[in-house]
């Protein structure tokens, strides 16, 4: 059985506790989340547990990364269930700050994200990644982990966080963890709970398109894109926002699939007002 998980609400209390642990030589693994936890999140906790002495998870629905206010309001929040799941997964410390604790003054900092924020998610959600970087940077400064664990599910976010750590010379290792899927292939996401039964059925089209793209990886990229677009064209209530095959490091959209560029197929679509994203590494 795991020991009792401690819950902290303030930065000072958390820091004091973590400082004592660090002095005692413990390594800290960190998993930042926005809550409404599922098996995808828990896989990060378990990975962190296997690579660190102490696992810290944060739950903070970050207002700075929502360009759509309605989306922020509708974002699922279930702290009691989350606490139970974390405790049962071996998480040692939960950090649950309020917005006021994290940002006593709400001031958008501006980061140069080297263009990584201008395509795909960045193009659809202006300012989103700037808000992500601002909160991740603040959380890293508070927790000062040796390693931080992120899901490949948010592939572009992962690339941007890696860049931030490099540019700011932060002493944290970023660990990328595989996507956890439902039985039918849908990537787990907190937003899936907002799908109605009809949308839930259709949502499998996202992962189907990606698996198909992987199977077609030796064909011209244009043919793959056309195939995916055609598959979405007559789905009622579904809007394909983008399908791109990008370089796995620079995120530059590719014109031709070349294994050496570690191509990754990325997709986003709206099912009613629920926006879902997914991706697949084409050669692994
Ligand atoms: P979120 O709470 O959506 O901000 O996600 C917190 C972390 O969990 C991020 O690093 C996500 O990439 C990761 N994550 C979310 N869904 C999954 C999934 N299905 N599989 C693996 N990691 C995930």
């Amino acid at each position: 059985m795991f020991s009792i998980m401690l819950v902290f609400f303030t930065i000072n209390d958390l820091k004091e506790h973590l400082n004592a642990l660090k002095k005692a030589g413990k390594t800290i693994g960190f998993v930042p989340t926005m809550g409404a936890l599922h098996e995808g999140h828990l896989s990060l906790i378990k990975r962190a547990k296997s690579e660190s002495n102490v696992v810290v998870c944060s739950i903070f629905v970050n207002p700075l990364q929502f360009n759509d206010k309605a989306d922020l309001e509708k974002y699922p929040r279930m702290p009691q269930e989350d606490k139970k799941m974390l405790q049962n997964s071996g998480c040692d410390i939960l950090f649950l700050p309020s917005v006021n604790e994290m940002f006593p003054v709400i001031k958008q900092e501006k980061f140069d994200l080297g263009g990584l924020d201008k395509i795909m998610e960045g193009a659809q959600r202006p300012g989103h990644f700037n808000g992500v970087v601002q909160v991740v940077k603040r959380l890293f400064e508070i927790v000062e982990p040796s390693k931080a664990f992120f899901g490949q599910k948010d592939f572009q976010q992962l690339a941007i966080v890696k860049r931030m750590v490099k540019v700011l010379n932060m002493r944290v290792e970023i660990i990328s963890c595989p996507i956890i899927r439902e039985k039918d292939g849908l990537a787990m996401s907190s937003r899936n709970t907002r799908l109605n039964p009809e949308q839930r059925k259709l949502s499998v089209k996202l992962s189907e398109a990606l698996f198909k793209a992987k199977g077609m990886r030796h064909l011209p990229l244009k043919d793959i894109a056309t195939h995916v677009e055609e598959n979405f064209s007559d789905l009622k209530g579904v809007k394909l926002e983008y399908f791109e095959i990008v370089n796995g490091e620079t995120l530059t959209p590719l014109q031709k699939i070349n294994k050496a560029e570690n191509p990754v197929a990325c997709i986003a679509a709206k099912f009613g007002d629920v926006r879902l994203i997914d991706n697949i590494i084409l050669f692994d």
Side-chain angles (χ1 to χ4, degrees), residues 28-171:
I28 311 291
F30 180 43
V31 180
T33 80
M34 297 207 298
L37 302 180
H38 49 67
E39 286 299 324
H41 296 110
L42 300 186
S43 72
L44 307 188
I45 300 288
K46 287 171 194 154
R47 177 80 179 269
K49 190 81 182 164
S50 73
E51 296 190 25
S52 347
N53 299 130
V54 177
V55 177
V56 179
C57 174
S58 63
I59 296 181
F60 180 65
V61 182
N62 171 29
L64 297 178
Q65 72 187 67
F66 285 82
N67 50 322
D68 175 356
K69 217 168 158 264
D71 191 26
L72 170 63
E73 274 155 21
K74 282 189 219 148
Y75 200 84
R77 290 164 171 87
M78 37 193 72
Q80 293 314 323
E81 286 91 334
D82 287 349
K83 269 189 215 169
K84 266 190 223 142
M85 287 170 87
L86 287 171
Q87 166 72 58
N88 293 337
S89 305
C91 180
D92 300 293
I93 295 173
L94 168 60
F95 180 42
L96 256 181
S98 64
V99 173
N100 191 49
E101 181 72 11
M102 285 295 285
F103 301 114
V105 179
I106 298 255
K107 192 171 142 249
Q108 293 270 2
E109 279 178 54
K110 202 79 201 96
F111 298 94
D112 176 0
L113 302 178
L116 290 179
D117 56 327
K118 297 287 180 269
I119 48 167
M120 299 195 290
E121 288 304 284
Q124 301 288 334
R125 306 178 67 189
H128 166 68
F129 286 120
N130 204 77
V132 169
V133 165
Q134 190 167 340
V135 80
V136 173
K137 175 171 171 276
R138 179 132 172 86
L139 286 167
F140 281 2
E141 285 165 354
I142 295 165
V143 178
E144 294 184 303
S146 326
K147 295 183 180 181
F149 299 81
F150 287 82
Q152 183 212 311
K153 158 83 176 16
D154 297 279
F155 191 76
Q156 194 171 2
Q157 168 173 284
L158 187 57
I160 287 175
V161 169
K162 280 185 185 159
R163 183 181 190 276
M164 173 195 85
V165 164
K166 200 168 163 195
V167 170
L168 300 179
N169 216 359
M170 296 181 110
R171 282 173 34 174

